[in-house]
Amino acid sequence: MARRKTPTLPAPQAAPAKPFRCGFVALIGRPNVGKSTLLNALVGAKVAIVSPKPQTTRTRLLGIKTFPNVQLIFVDTPGIHQHAGSLLNKRMVEAALTAVQDTDVVVFVVDAHKGLTPEDEAIAQRLATIRTPLLIGINKIDLIPKATLLPLLDRVAALLPNRELIPISALSGENTQELLNMIIPALPASPALYPDDELTDQSERVIAQEFVREQLFLQTQQEVPYATTVVVEEFQERPGKTLLFIRAVIYVERQSQRAIIIGHRGSRLKEIGQRAREQLESFFGCNVFLELFVKVVKGWTNSPGALHELGL
Ligand code: GDP
Ligand code: MG
């Protein structure tokens, strides 16, 4: 039975509506401090891949969260680190530093469990002079006793005086809502820049590529994940949106790395494909058929030509 509509009343004299706010929030910090985990927590969906290994995130990506009166556009960055040896690493650091300019708020993420490292101090020094509003998220507090938190807060406050600090756990979600509430007033009045149901600026192909790369980081060791990249060659939605067909190629630098990824009788590759497929099915909300191949391209991490060809 159709529900009866309540009669429309004359509109009450509305209080002046709060201006819509929208802006960019850069997440900055050393590799592995939890920037991508925090981005996912703040967006409320997994849009950035995460692993215990540093430098999982290779390029800048956006995570978008929209409320009735505000849209926050989080900028995840590859970690800033000083040993930018290879060309790939240099490009990652450039991307991180570019993210600080042109944003409305910067959140500097520090790993409370690891404590302040010289790299954190170097980043803090660079951030001390910026005019952009800066908040400091002291992350991973689920891993430390309260007694070690207080001296850490003091040290960070000494490095960045007059900036707001907040202890958080991106993993458990502790204080992440509070962090949001601190960010919002610093955003400019602006209309939304993205549709309200958009979660990221990454294309569906890139998301597929990243979820496969995440499994390479989780399931292979030492230099192997750093020597791999993933390119999606086919991404097809089957009619009725019931099935996604995805074919991706994992590029490695050496034959030995290919053998490791494939594993005994293909067992490793099968596991990588299965886990990535599960993640993709939950992101896209439909069944996914994922086909993976492994190919060798000698020295791709140091070759501008190869990087360009692979779209990096
Ligand atoms: P990023 O390199 O800064 O983007 O760091 P990631 O988000 O990839 O996280 C690096 C590792 O730290 C992963 O294993 C995460 O699960 C872990 N991690 C991130 N945030 C937290 C946290 O609040 N608590 C704990 N215990 N682990 C965390
Ligand atoms: Mg990351």
Side-chain angles (χ1 to χ4, degrees):
M1 192 180 78
R3 263 206 300 150
R4 191 125 53 86
K5 275 193 181 162
T6 45
T8 37
L9 298 168
Q13 259 328 18
K18 272 203 232 163
F20 197 92
R21 290 176 187 276
C22 174
F24 288 86
V25 183
L27 306 181
I28 296 295
R30 263 194 314 110
N32 232 27
V33 293
K35 297 177 297 297
S36 298
T37 310
L38 180 60
L39 177 117
N40 291 338
L42 295 170
V43 169
K46 177 163 170 172
V47 296
I49 63 168
V50 167
S51 95
K53 299 189 177 71
Q55 293 151 52
T56 307
T57 308
R58 275 192 193 149
T59 51
R60 197 200 70 136
L61 71 91
L62 303 182
I64 304 158
K65 178 75 183 175
T66 309
F67 296 104
N69 272 318
V70 59
Q71 181 170 75
L72 300 110
I73 306 165
F74 298 101
V75 187
D76 190 12
T77 57
I80 301 177
H81 52 100
Q82 295 178 313
H83 310 291
S86 76
L87 188 59
L88 178 68
N89 280 351
K90 284 198 180 117
R91 291 202 181 163
M92 285 168 35
V93 176
E94 277 164 29
L97 290 172
T98 317
V100 178
Q101 302 153 5
D102 276 355
T103 56
D104 300 293
V105 180
V106 173
V107 178
F108 175 34
V109 185
V110 175
D111 180 340
H113 185 56
K114 190 92 183 264
L116 268 191
T117 69
E119 277 180 313
D120 290 313
E121 289 175 0
I123 298 168
Q125 254 172 18
R126 298 185 83 138
L127 293 179
T129 54
I130 64 167
R131 301 175 67 165
T132 315
L134 171 71
L135 300 166
I136 304 138
I138 311 289
N139 191 31
K140 308 197 188 181
I141 54 164
D142 55 297
L143 295 177
I144 58 155
K146 282 241 156 55
T148 58
L149 180 59
L150 294 176
L152 177 63
L153 291 177
D154 285 343
R155 284 186 60 200
V156 178
L159 281 172
L160 292 163
N162 306 319
R163 305 286 199 169
E164 281 192 276
L165 293 171
I166 180 165
I168 56 173
S169 169
L171 199 66
S172 76
E174 190 175 351
N175 276 350
T176 52
Q177 191 58 49
E178 286 72 10
L179 174 60
L180 268 182
N181 293 339
M182 288 161 72
I183 296 169
I184 290 170
L187 296 176
S190 154
L193 297 174
Y194 287 89
D196 61 6
D197 59 351
E198 207 115 306
L199 298 176
T200 178
D201 67 330
Q202 298 187 98
S203 68
E204 294 180 326
R205 275 172 178 258
V206 170
I207 287 166
Q209 163 200 308
E210 287 292 283
F211 281 13
V212 173
R213 220 163 55 72
E214 178 175 55
Q215 291 308 316
L216 291 165
F217 268 78
L218 292 173
Q219 298 194 42
T220 67
Q221 306 309 321
Q222 284 152 12
E223 94 290 358
V224 179
Y226 301 99
T228 61
T229 197
V230 178
V231 174
V232 169
E233 297 208 319
E234 199 179 336
F235 188 104
Q236 258 188 40
E237 221 167 86
R238 293 286 148 93
K241 275 204 166 188
T242 52
L243 180 74
L244 263 180
F245 175 84
I246 300 170
R247 192 180 63 230
V249 179
I250 300 168
Y251 286 96
V252 292
E253 292 191 313
R254 286 202 299 271
Q255 196 58 38
S256 59
Q257 295 158 347
R258 180 172 184 271
I260 290 169
I261 289 173
I262 290 173
H264 182 59
R265 295 190 177 170
S267 57
R268 175 61 57 218
L269 189 61
K270 190 174 160 199
E271 187 70 18
I272 288 168
Q274 232 163 45
R275 289 284 157 80
R277 178 176 54 77
E278 287 163 13
Q279 296 274 338
L280 289 166
E281 288 185 338
S282 103
F283 185 87
F284 290 114
C286 68
N287 291 325
V288 169
F289 185 89
L290 176 64
E291 207 171 53
L292 293 178
F293 297 91
V294 189
K295 289 186 188 167
V296 181
V297 177
K298 287 213 172 86
W300 70 265
T301 51
N302 267 316
S303 147
L307 287 174
H308 180 74
E309 240 167 64
L310 298 173
L312 298 170

